Amino acid sequence: RLVAGIEKKRSLLGEAERRVVAKHEVGHAVVGTAVALLVPTCPKVEQLSIVSRTGGALGFTYFPPQEDRVLLFTDEVAGRLATLLGGRAAEEVMCGR
């Protein structure tokens, strides 16, 4: 609840759209986990949800911040970018869209 908002009681998504959201979020989680193993300073996935929230998110993948930092190194930025694109890549591979 503190991370992504209150769960919506009524989902406007159909079954096919829910499947796409699930695959999208799993894509973030899989790539994020791989990045965390390769780059020790990147956070690990802590929570995944495919339930719509009041904040407008259809789902979310939560990576807790490790510490307050001002600078990110190149490998960390590349890891974050790969993680963000992992959701879209999963849609392409699994759904053909």
Coordinates of all heavy atoms in Angstrom, one line a residue:
R1 N 0.8 -1.2 0.0 CA 0.0 0.0 0.0 C 0.9 1.2 0.0 O 0.6 2.2 -0.7 CB -0.9 0.0 1.2 CG -1.8 1.1 1.3 CD -2.8 1.0 2.4 NE -3.8 2.0 2.3 CZ -4.9 2.0 2.9 NH1 -5.2 1.1 3.8 NH2 -5.7 3.0 2.8
L2 N 1.9 1.2 0.8 CA 2.8 2.4 0.8 C 3.6 2.6 -0.5 O 4.0 3.7 -0.8 CB 3.8 2.3 2.0 CG 3.1 2.3 3.4 CD1 4.1 2.0 4.4 CD2 2.4 3.6 3.6
V3 N 3.8 1.5 -1.2 CA 4.7 1.6 -2.4 C 3.9 2.1 -3.6 O 4.3 2.9 -4.3 CB 5.3 0.2 -2.7 CG1 6.1 0.2 -4.0 CG2 6.2 -0.2 -1.5
A4 N 2.7 1.5 -3.8 CA 2.1 1.7 -5.1 C 0.6 2.2 -5.0 O 0.0 2.4 -6.0 CB 2.1 0.5 -5.9
G5 N 0.1 2.4 -3.8 CA -1.3 2.9 -3.7 C -2.2 1.8 -3.3 O -1.8 0.6 -3.2
I6 N -3.4 2.1 -3.1 CA -4.5 1.2 -2.7 C -4.9 0.4 -3.9 O -5.1 0.9 -5.0 CB -5.7 1.9 -2.1 CG1 -5.2 2.7 -0.9 CG2 -6.8 1.0 -1.7 CD1 -6.2 3.7 -0.4
E7 N -5.2 -0.9 -3.7 CA -5.7 -1.8 -4.7 C -7.1 -1.3 -5.2 O -7.9 -1.0 -4.4 CB -5.8 -3.2 -4.2 CG -6.3 -4.2 -5.2 CD -6.5 -5.6 -4.5 OE1 -5.8 -5.9 -3.6 OE2 -7.3 -6.4 -5.1
K8 N -7.2 -1.3 -6.5 CA -8.6 -1.0 -7.1 C -9.5 -2.2 -6.9 O -9.1 -3.3 -7.1 CB -8.5 -0.6 -8.6 CG -7.9 0.7 -8.8 CD -8.0 1.0 -10.3 CE -7.4 2.4 -10.6 NZ -7.4 2.7 -12.0
K9 N -10.7 -1.9 -6.5 CA -11.7 -2.9 -6.2 C -12.2 -3.5 -7.5 O -12.7 -4.6 -7.6 CB -12.8 -2.4 -5.3 CG -12.3 -2.0 -4.0 CD -11.8 -3.2 -3.2 CE -11.3 -2.7 -1.9 NZ -10.5 -3.7 -1.2
R10 N -12.3 -2.7 -8.6 CA -12.9 -3.1 -9.8 C -11.8 -2.8 -10.9 O -11.4 -1.7 -11.1 CB -14.1 -2.2 -10.1 CG -15.0 -2.7 -11.2 CD -16.2 -1.9 -11.2 NE -15.9 -0.6 -11.7 CZ -16.4 0.0 -12.8 NH1 -17.4 -0.6 -13.4 NH2 -16.1 1.2 -13.2
S11 N -11.5 -3.9 -11.6 CA -10.5 -3.8 -12.7 C -11.3 -3.6 -14.0 O -12.2 -4.3 -14.3 CB -9.7 -5.1 -12.8 OG -8.8 -5.0 -13.8
L12 N -10.7 -2.7 -14.8 CA -11.3 -2.4 -16.1 C -10.6 -3.2 -17.2 O -11.0 -3.1 -18.4 CB -11.2 -0.9 -16.4 CG -12.0 0.0 -15.5 CD1 -11.7 1.4 -15.8 CD2 -13.5 -0.3 -15.5
L13 N -9.6 -4.0 -16.8 CA -8.8 -4.8 -17.8 C -9.5 -6.1 -18.1 O -10.0 -6.8 -17.2 CB -7.4 -5.0 -17.2 CG -6.5 -3.9 -17.0 CD1 -5.2 -4.3 -16.4 CD2 -6.3 -3.1 -18.3
G14 N -9.5 -6.5 -19.4 CA -9.9 -7.8 -19.7 C -8.9 -8.8 -19.5 O -7.7 -8.5 -19.1
E15 N -9.2 -10.1 -19.7 CA -8.3 -11.2 -19.4 C -7.0 -11.1 -20.2 O -5.9 -11.3 -19.7 CB -9.0 -12.5 -19.7 CG -8.2 -13.7 -19.4 CD -7.8 -13.8 -17.9 OE1 -8.6 -13.4 -17.0 OE2 -6.7 -14.4 -17.6
A16 N -7.1 -10.7 -21.5 CA -6.0 -10.6 -22.4 C -5.1 -9.5 -21.9 O -3.8 -9.7 -21.9 CB -6.4 -10.4 -23.8
E17 N -5.6 -8.4 -21.5 CA -4.8 -7.2 -21.1 C -4.1 -7.6 -19.7 O -3.0 -7.2 -19.5 CB -5.7 -6.0 -20.9 CG -6.1 -5.4 -22.2 CD -7.2 -4.3 -22.1 OE1 -8.0 -4.5 -21.2 OE2 -7.1 -3.4 -22.8
R18 N -4.8 -8.3 -18.9 CA -4.2 -8.7 -17.6 C -3.0 -9.6 -17.8 O -2.0 -9.5 -17.2 CB -5.2 -9.4 -16.7 CG -6.1 -8.4 -16.0 CD -6.8 -9.1 -14.8 NE -7.7 -10.2 -15.2 CZ -9.0 -10.1 -15.4 NH1 -9.5 -8.9 -15.2 NH2 -9.7 -11.1 -15.7
R19 N -3.1 -10.5 -18.8 CA -2.0 -11.4 -19.2 C -0.8 -10.6 -19.7 O 0.4 -10.9 -19.4 CB -2.4 -12.4 -20.2 CG -3.3 -13.4 -19.7 CD -3.7 -14.4 -20.8 NE -4.7 -15.3 -20.3 CZ -4.5 -16.5 -19.7 NH1 -3.3 -16.9 -19.6 NH2 -5.5 -17.3 -19.4
V20 N -1.0 -9.5 -20.5 CA 0.0 -8.7 -21.0 C 0.7 -7.9 -19.9 O 1.9 -7.9 -19.8 CB -0.5 -7.7 -22.1 CG1 0.6 -6.7 -22.5 CG2 -1.0 -8.4 -23.3
V21 N -0.1 -7.4 -18.9 CA 0.5 -6.7 -17.8 C 1.3 -7.7 -17.0 O 2.5 -7.3 -16.5 CB -0.6 -6.1 -16.9 CG1 -0.1 -5.6 -15.6 CG2 -1.3 -5.0 -17.7
A22 N 0.9 -8.9 -16.8 CA 1.6 -9.9 -16.0 C 3.0 -10.2 -16.6 O 4.0 -10.2 -16.0 CB 0.8 -11.1 -15.8
K23 N 3.0 -10.4 -17.9 CA 4.2 -10.7 -18.7 C 5.1 -9.5 -18.7 O 6.4 -9.6 -18.5 CB 3.9 -11.1 -20.1 CG 3.2 -12.5 -20.1 CD 2.7 -12.9 -21.4 CE 1.9 -14.2 -21.3 NZ 1.3 -14.6 -22.6
H24 N 4.6 -8.3 -18.8 CA 5.4 -7.1 -18.7 C 6.1 -6.9 -17.4 O 7.3 -6.7 -17.3 CB 4.4 -5.9 -19.0 CG 5.1 -4.6 -18.9 ND1 5.5 -3.9 -20.0 CD2 5.4 -3.8 -17.8 CE1 6.1 -2.7 -19.6 NE2 6.0 -2.6 -18.3
E25 N 5.4 -7.1 -16.3 CA 6.0 -7.0 -15.0 C 7.0 -8.1 -14.7 O 8.1 -7.9 -14.1 CB 4.9 -7.0 -13.9 CG 4.0 -5.8 -13.9 CD 4.7 -4.4 -13.9 OE1 5.8 -4.3 -13.3 OE2 4.2 -3.5 -14.5
V26 N 6.7 -9.3 -15.2 CA 7.7 -10.4 -15.0 C 9.0 -10.1 -15.8 O 10.1 -10.4 -15.4 CB 7.1 -11.7 -15.4 CG1 8.1 -12.8 -15.6 CG2 6.0 -12.2 -14.4
G27 N 8.8 -9.4 -17.0 CA 10.0 -9.0 -17.7 C 10.9 -8.1 -17.0 O 12.1 -8.2 -16.9
H28 N 10.3 -7.1 -16.3 CA 11.1 -6.2 -15.4 C 11.8 -7.0 -14.3 O 13.0 -6.8 -14.1 CB 10.2 -5.2 -14.7 CG 9.6 -4.1 -15.6 ND1 10.4 -3.3 -16.4 CD2 8.3 -3.6 -15.7 CE1 9.6 -2.4 -17.0 NE2 8.4 -2.6 -16.6
A29 N 11.1 -7.9 -13.7 CA 11.6 -8.7 -12.6 C 12.8 -9.6 -13.0 O 13.8 -9.7 -12.4 CB 10.5 -9.5 -11.9
V30 N 12.6 -10.3 -14.2 CA 13.6 -11.2 -14.6 C 14.9 -10.5 -15.0 O 16.0 -10.8 -14.6 CB 13.1 -12.0 -15.8 CG1 14.2 -12.8 -16.5 CG2 12.0 -13.0 -15.4
V31 N 14.7 -9.4 -15.8 CA 15.9 -8.6 -16.2 C 16.5 -7.9 -15.0 O 17.8 -7.9 -14.8 CB 15.6 -7.6 -17.3 CG1 16.7 -6.7 -17.6 CG2 15.1 -8.3 -18.5
G32 N 15.7 -7.4 -14.1 CA 16.2 -6.8 -12.9 C 17.0 -7.7 -12.0 O 18.0 -7.4 -11.4
T33 N 16.5 -8.9 -11.9 CA 17.2 -10.0 -11.1 C 18.6 -10.3 -11.7 O 19.6 -10.4 -11.0 CB 16.4 -11.2 -10.9 OG1 15.2 -10.9 -10.3 CG2 17.1 -12.3 -10.1
A34 N 18.6 -10.4 -13.0 CA 19.8 -10.7 -13.7 C 20.8 -9.6 -13.6 O 22.0 -9.8 -13.3 CB 19.6 -11.0 -15.2
V35 N 20.3 -8.4 -13.7 CA 21.2 -7.2 -13.5 C 21.8 -7.1 -12.1 O 23.0 -6.9 -11.9 CB 20.4 -5.9 -13.9 CG1 21.2 -4.6 -13.4 CG2 20.2 -5.8 -15.4
A36 N 20.9 -7.4 -11.1 CA 21.4 -7.4 -9.7 C 22.5 -8.4 -9.5 O 23.4 -8.2 -8.6 CB 20.2 -7.6 -8.8
L37 N 22.4 -9.6 -10.2 CA 23.5 -10.6 -10.0 C 24.8 -10.2 -10.7 O 25.9 -10.5 -10.2 CB 23.0 -11.9 -10.6 CG 21.9 -12.6 -9.9 CD1 21.4 -13.8 -10.7 CD2 22.3 -13.0 -8.5
L38 N 24.7 -9.4 -11.8 CA 25.8 -9.0 -12.5 C 26.5 -7.7 -12.0 O 27.7 -7.5 -12.1 CB 25.5 -8.8 -14.0 CG 25.1 -10.1 -14.8 CD1 24.5 -9.7 -16.1 CD2 26.2 -11.0 -14.9
V39 N 25.6 -6.8 -11.5 CA 26.1 -5.5 -11.0 C 25.7 -5.5 -9.5 O 24.6 -5.2 -9.1 CB 25.5 -4.3 -11.7 CG1 26.0 -3.0 -11.2 CG2 25.7 -4.5 -13.2
P40 N 26.7 -5.8 -8.6 CA 26.4 -5.9 -7.2 C 25.8 -4.6 -6.5 O 25.1 -4.7 -5.5 CB 27.7 -6.2 -6.5 CG 28.6 -6.7 -7.6 CD 28.1 -6.1 -8.9
T41 N 26.0 -3.5 -7.1 CA 25.5 -2.2 -6.5 C 24.0 -2.0 -7.0 O 23.4 -1.0 -6.5 CB 26.4 -1.1 -6.9 OG1 26.5 -1.0 -8.3 CG2 27.7 -1.2 -6.2
C42 N 23.5 -2.8 -7.9 CA 22.1 -2.6 -8.3 C 21.1 -3.3 -7.3 O 21.5 -4.4 -6.9 CB 21.9 -3.1 -9.7 SG 22.6 -2.0 -10.9
P43 N 20.0 -2.8 -7.0 CA 19.1 -3.4 -6.0 C 18.4 -4.7 -6.6 O 18.2 -4.8 -7.8 CB 18.0 -2.3 -5.8 CG 18.0 -1.5 -7.0 CD 19.4 -1.5 -7.5
K44 N 18.0 -5.6 -5.7 CA 17.3 -6.8 -6.1 C 15.8 -6.5 -6.1 O 15.3 -5.7 -5.3 CB 17.7 -7.9 -5.2 CG 19.1 -8.3 -5.3 CD 19.4 -9.4 -4.3 CE 20.8 -10.0 -4.4 NZ 21.9 -9.1 -4.4
V45 N 15.0 -7.3 -6.9 CA 13.6 -7.2 -6.8 C 13.1 -7.6 -5.5 O 13.5 -8.7 -5.0 CB 13.0 -8.1 -7.9 CG1 11.4 -8.1 -7.8 CG2 13.4 -7.6 -9.3
E46 N 12.2 -6.8 -4.9 CA 11.6 -7.2 -3.6 C 10.2 -7.6 -3.7 O 9.7 -8.4 -3.0 CB 11.8 -6.0 -2.6 CG 11.4 -6.4 -1.2 CD 11.7 -5.3 -0.2 OE1 12.9 -5.1 0.1 OE2 10.8 -4.6 0.2
Q47 N 9.4 -6.9 -4.6 CA 8.0 -7.2 -4.7 C 7.5 -7.0 -6.1 O 8.0 -6.1 -6.9 CB 7.3 -6.2 -3.8 CG 5.8 -6.4 -3.6 CD 5.2 -5.5 -2.6 OE1 5.8 -4.5 -2.1 NE2 4.0 -5.7 -2.2
L48 N 6.5 -7.8 -6.5 CA 5.9 -7.7 -7.8 C 4.4 -7.8 -7.7 O 3.9 -8.6 -6.9 CB 6.4 -8.9 -8.7 CG 5.8 -9.1 -10.0 CD1 6.5 -8.2 -11.0 CD2 6.0 -10.6 -10.5
S49 N 3.7 -7.0 -8.4 CA 2.2 -7.1 -8.4 C 1.7 -6.8 -9.7 O 2.2 -6.0 -10.5 CB 1.7 -6.0 -7.4 OG 0.3 -6.0 -7.5
I50 N 0.6 -7.6 -10.1 CA -0.1 -7.4 -11.3 C -1.5 -6.9 -11.0 O -2.4 -7.0 -11.9 CB -0.1 -8.7 -12.2 CG1 -0.7 -9.8 -11.4 CG2 1.3 -9.0 -12.6 CD1 -1.0 -11.0 -12.3
V51 N -1.7 -6.3 -9.9 CA -3.0 -5.8 -9.4 C -3.0 -4.3 -9.7 O -2.1 -3.6 -9.3 CB -3.3 -6.1 -7.9 CG1 -4.6 -5.5 -7.5 CG2 -3.2 -7.6 -7.7
S52 N -4.1 -3.8 -10.4 CA -4.2 -2.4 -10.6 C -4.2 -1.6 -9.3 O -4.8 -2.0 -8.3 CB -5.5 -2.1 -11.4 OG -5.4 -2.7 -12.7
R53 N -3.6 -0.4 -9.3 CA -3.5 0.4 -8.1 C -4.1 1.8 -8.4 O -4.3 2.2 -9.6 CB -2.1 0.6 -7.7 CG -1.3 -0.7 -7.4 CD -1.9 -1.3 -6.1 NE -1.4 -2.6 -6.0 CZ -1.4 -3.3 -4.8 NH1 -1.9 -2.7 -3.7 NH2 -0.9 -4.5 -4.7
T54 N -4.4 2.5 -7.4 CA -5.1 3.8 -7.5 C -4.2 4.9 -8.2 O -4.6 5.8 -8.7 CB -5.5 4.4 -6.2 OG1 -4.4 4.4 -5.3 CG2 -6.6 3.5 -5.6
G55 N -2.9 4.7 -8.1 CA -1.9 5.6 -8.7 C -1.9 5.6 -10.2 O -1.1 6.3 -10.8
G56 N -2.6 4.7 -10.8 CA -2.7 4.6 -12.3 C -1.8 3.4 -12.8 O -1.9 3.1 -14.0
A57 N -1.0 2.8 -12.0 CA -0.2 1.7 -12.4 C -1.1 0.4 -12.6 O -1.9 0.1 -11.7 CB 0.9 1.4 -11.4
L58 N -0.9 -0.3 -13.7 CA -1.6 -1.5 -13.9 C -0.9 -2.7 -13.2 O -1.5 -3.7 -12.9 CB -1.6 -1.8 -15.4 CG -2.3 -0.8 -16.2 CD1 -2.3 -1.1 -17.7 CD2 -3.8 -0.6 -15.8
G59 N 0.3 -2.5 -12.8 CA 1.1 -3.4 -12.1 C 2.4 -2.7 -11.7 O 2.7 -1.6 -12.1
F60 N 3.3 -3.4 -10.9 CA 4.5 -2.8 -10.5 C 5.6 -3.8 -10.1 O 5.2 -4.9 -9.7 CB 4.4 -1.7 -9.5 CG 4.1 -2.2 -8.1 CD1 5.1 -2.6 -7.2 CD2 2.8 -2.4 -7.7 CE1 4.9 -3.1 -6.0 CE2 2.5 -2.9 -6.4 CZ 3.5 -3.2 -5.6
T61 N 6.8 -3.5 -10.3 CA 7.9 -4.3 -9.8 C 8.7 -3.3 -8.9 O 9.2 -2.3 -9.4 CB 8.8 -4.8 -11.0 OG1 7.9 -5.5 -11.9 CG2 9.9 -5.7 -10.5
Y62 N 8.9 -3.7 -7.7 CA 9.5 -2.8 -6.7 C 11.0 -3.2 -6.4 O 11.2 -4.4 -6.0 CB 8.7 -2.8 -5.4 CG 9.3 -2.0 -4.3 CD1 9.4 -0.6 -4.4 CD2 9.8 -2.5 -3.1 CE1 10.0 0.2 -3.4 CE2 10.4 -1.8 -2.1 CZ 10.5 -0.4 -2.3 OH 11.0 0.4 -1.3
F63 N 11.9 -2.3 -6.6 CA 13.3 -2.4 -6.2 C 13.5 -1.4 -5.1 O 13.5 -0.2 -5.4 CB 14.2 -2.1 -7.4 CG 14.0 -2.9 -8.6 CD1 13.0 -2.7 -9.6 CD2 14.8 -4.0 -8.9 CE1 12.8 -3.5 -10.7 CE2 14.6 -4.8 -10.0 CZ 13.6 -4.5 -10.9
P64 N 13.8 -1.9 -3.9 CA 14.0 -1.0 -2.8 C 15.3 -0.2 -3.0 O 16.3 -0.8 -3.5 CB 14.1 -1.8 -1.6 CG 14.5 -3.2 -2.1 CD 13.9 -3.3 -3.5
P65 N 15.3 1.1 -2.6 CA 16.6 1.8 -2.7 C 17.6 1.3 -1.7 O 17.2 0.9 -0.6 CB 16.2 3.3 -2.4 CG 14.9 3.1 -1.7 CD 14.2 1.9 -2.2
Q66 N 18.9 1.1 -2.1 CA 19.8 0.6 -1.2 C 20.4 1.7 -0.2 O 20.6 1.4 0.9 CB 21.0 0.0 -2.0 CG 20.6 -1.3 -2.7 CD 21.7 -1.9 -3.5 OE1 22.5 -1.2 -4.0 NE2 21.7 -3.2 -3.6
E67 N 20.5 2.9 -0.7 CA 21.0 4.0 0.1 C 20.8 5.3 -0.7 O 20.6 5.2 -1.9 CB 22.5 3.8 0.4 CG 23.3 3.7 -0.8 CD 24.8 3.3 -0.5 OE1 25.0 2.4 0.3 OE2 25.7 3.9 -1.1
D68 N 20.8 6.4 0.0 CA 20.8 7.7 -0.7 C 22.0 7.9 -1.5 O 23.1 7.9 -0.9 CB 20.5 8.8 0.3 CG 19.1 8.8 0.8 OD1 18.2 8.2 0.2 OD2 18.9 9.3 1.9
R69 N 21.9 8.1 -2.8 CA 23.1 8.3 -3.6 C 22.8 9.5 -4.5 O 21.7 9.7 -5.0 CB 23.4 7.1 -4.4 CG 23.7 5.9 -3.5 CD 24.2 4.7 -4.2 NE 25.2 4.9 -5.2 CZ 25.6 4.1 -6.1 NH1 24.9 2.9 -6.2 NH2 26.5 4.4 -7.0
V70 N 23.9 10.1 -4.9 CA 23.8 11.3 -5.8 C 24.3 10.8 -7.2 O 23.7 11.2 -8.2 CB 24.7 12.4 -5.3 CG1 24.7 13.6 -6.3 CG2 24.2 12.9 -3.9
L71 N 25.3 10.0 -7.2 CA 25.9 9.6 -8.5 C 25.6 8.1 -8.8 O 25.6 7.3 -7.9 CB 27.5 9.8 -8.4 CG 28.0 11.2 -8.2 CD1 29.5 11.2 -8.1 CD2 27.6 12.1 -9.3
L72 N 25.5 7.9 -10.1 CA 25.3 6.5 -10.6 C 26.5 6.2 -11.6 O 26.8 7.1 -12.4 CB 24.0 6.2 -11.2 CG 22.8 6.3 -10.4 CD1 21.5 6.1 -11.2 CD2 22.8 5.2 -9.3
F73 N 27.0 5.1 -11.5 CA 28.1 4.7 -12.4 C 27.5 4.1 -13.7 O 26.3 3.8 -13.7 CB 29.1 3.7 -11.8 CG 29.8 4.3 -10.6 CD1 29.4 4.0 -9.3 CD2 30.8 5.3 -10.8 CE1 30.1 4.6 -8.3 CE2 31.5 5.9 -9.8 CZ 31.1 5.5 -8.5
T74 N 28.3 4.1 -14.8 CA 27.8 3.6 -16.1 C 27.1 2.3 -16.0 O 26.0 2.1 -16.6 CB 28.9 3.6 -17.1 OG1 29.6 4.9 -17.1 CG2 28.4 3.3 -18.5
D75 N 27.7 1.3 -15.3 CA 27.1 0.0 -15.3 C 25.7 0.0 -14.5 O 24.8 -0.7 -14.9 CB 28.0 -1.0 -14.6 CG 28.5 -0.7 -13.2 OD1 28.3 0.5 -12.8 OD2 29.1 -1.5 -12.6
E76 N 25.6 0.9 -13.6 CA 24.3 1.0 -12.8 C 23.2 1.6 -13.7 O 22.1 1.2 -13.7 CB 24.5 1.8 -11.6 CG 25.4 1.2 -10.6 CD 25.9 2.1 -9.4 OE1 26.0 3.3 -9.7 OE2 26.1 1.5 -8.3
V77 N 23.6 2.7 -14.4 CA 22.7 3.3 -15.3 C 22.2 2.3 -16.4 O 21.0 2.2 -16.7 CB 23.3 4.6 -16.0 CG1 22.3 5.1 -17.0 CG2 23.5 5.6 -14.9
A78 N 23.2 1.6 -17.0 CA 22.9 0.6 -18.0 C 22.0 -0.5 -17.4 O 21.0 -1.0 -18.1 CB 24.2 0.0 -18.6
G79 N 22.2 -0.9 -16.2 CA 21.4 -1.9 -15.6 C 20.0 -1.4 -15.3 O 19.0 -2.1 -15.6
R80 N 19.8 -0.2 -14.9 CA 18.5 0.4 -14.7 C 17.7 0.5 -16.1 O 16.5 0.2 -16.1 CB 18.6 1.8 -14.1 CG 18.9 1.7 -12.6 CD 18.8 3.1 -12.0 NE 19.2 3.0 -10.6 CZ 18.9 3.9 -9.7 NH1 18.3 5.0 -10.1 NH2 19.3 3.8 -8.4
L81 N 18.4 0.9 -17.1 CA 17.8 1.0 -18.4 C 17.4 -0.3 -18.9 O 16.3 -0.5 -19.4 CB 18.8 1.7 -19.4 CG 18.3 2.0 -20.8 CD1 17.0 2.8 -20.8 CD2 19.4 2.6 -21.6
A82 N 18.3 -1.3 -18.8 CA 17.9 -2.7 -19.2 C 16.7 -3.2 -18.4 O 15.8 -3.8 -19.0 CB 19.1 -3.6 -19.0
T83 N 16.6 -2.9 -17.1 CA 15.5 -3.4 -16.3 C 14.2 -2.7 -16.8 O 13.2 -3.3 -16.9 CB 15.8 -3.0 -14.8 OG1 16.9 -3.7 -14.4 CG2 14.6 -3.5 -14.0
L84 N 14.3 -1.4 -17.1 CA 13.1 -0.7 -17.5 C 12.6 -1.2 -18.9 O 11.4 -1.4 -19.1 CB 13.4 0.8 -17.6 CG 13.6 1.5 -16.3 CD1 14.0 3.0 -16.5 CD2 12.3 1.5 -15.5
L85 N 13.6 -1.5 -19.8 CA 13.2 -2.1 -21.1 C 12.8 -3.5 -21.0 O 12.2 -4.0 -22.0 CB 14.3 -1.8 -22.1 CG 14.6 -0.4 -22.4 CD1 15.9 -0.3 -23.2 CD2 13.4 0.2 -23.1
G86 N 13.1 -4.2 -19.9 CA 12.8 -5.6 -19.8 C 11.3 -5.9 -19.9 O 10.9 -6.9 -20.5
G87 N 10.5 -5.0 -19.4 CA 9.0 -5.2 -19.5 C 8.5 -5.1 -20.9 O 7.8 -6.0 -21.4
R88 N 9.0 -4.2 -21.7 CA 8.6 -4.0 -23.1 C 9.2 -5.2 -23.9 O 8.5 -5.7 -24.8 CB 9.1 -2.7 -23.6 CG 8.7 -2.5 -25.0 CD 7.2 -2.2 -25.1 NE 6.8 -2.2 -26.5 CZ 5.9 -3.0 -27.1 NH1 5.3 -3.9 -26.4 NH2 5.6 -2.9 -28.3
A89 N 10.4 -5.6 -23.6 CA 11.0 -6.8 -24.3 C 10.1 -8.0 -24.1 O 9.9 -8.8 -25.0 CB 12.4 -7.0 -23.9
A90 N 9.7 -8.2 -22.8 CA 8.9 -9.4 -22.5 C 7.5 -9.4 -23.3 O 7.1 -10.4 -23.8 CB 8.6 -9.5 -21.0
E91 N 7.0 -8.2 -23.5 CA 5.7 -8.1 -24.3 C 6.0 -8.5 -25.7 O 5.2 -9.2 -26.3 CB 5.2 -6.6 -24.3 CG 4.5 -6.2 -23.0 CD 4.0 -4.8 -23.1 OE1 3.4 -4.5 -24.1 OE2 4.2 -4.1 -22.1
E92 N 7.1 -8.0 -26.3 CA 7.5 -8.3 -27.6 C 7.7 -9.8 -27.8 O 7.2 -10.4 -28.8 CB 8.8 -7.6 -28.0 CG 8.7 -6.2 -28.2 CD 8.1 -5.8 -29.6 OE1 8.3 -6.6 -30.5 OE2 7.6 -4.7 -29.7
V93 N 8.4 -10.5 -26.9 CA 8.7 -11.9 -27.0 C 7.5 -12.8 -26.8 O 7.2 -13.7 -27.5 CB 9.9 -12.3 -26.1 CG1 10.1 -13.8 -26.0 CG2 11.2 -11.5 -26.5
M94 N 6.8 -12.5 -25.7 CA 5.8 -13.4 -25.2 C 4.4 -13.1 -25.9 O 3.6 -14.0 -26.1 CB 5.6 -13.2 -23.7 CG 6.8 -13.6 -22.9 SD 7.4 -15.3 -23.1 CE 6.0 -16.2 -22.4
C95 N 4.2 -11.9 -26.3 CA 2.9 -11.5 -26.9 C 2.9 -11.2 -28.3 O 1.9 -11.0 -29.0 CB 2.3 -10.3 -26.1 SG 2.1 -10.6 -24.3
G96 N 4.2 -11.0 -28.8 CA 4.3 -10.6 -30.3 C 3.8 -9.2 -30.6 O 3.5 -8.9 -31.7
R97 N 3.9 -8.3 -29.6 CA 3.4 -6.9 -29.8 C 4.5 -6.0 -29.4 O 5.1 -6.0 -28.5 CB 2.2 -6.7 -28.9 CG 1.0 -7.5 -29.2 CD -0.1 -7.2 -28.3 NE -1.2 -8.1 -28.6 CZ -2.3 -8.2 -27.9 NH1 -2.5 -7.4 -26.9 NH2 -3.2 -9.0 -28.2

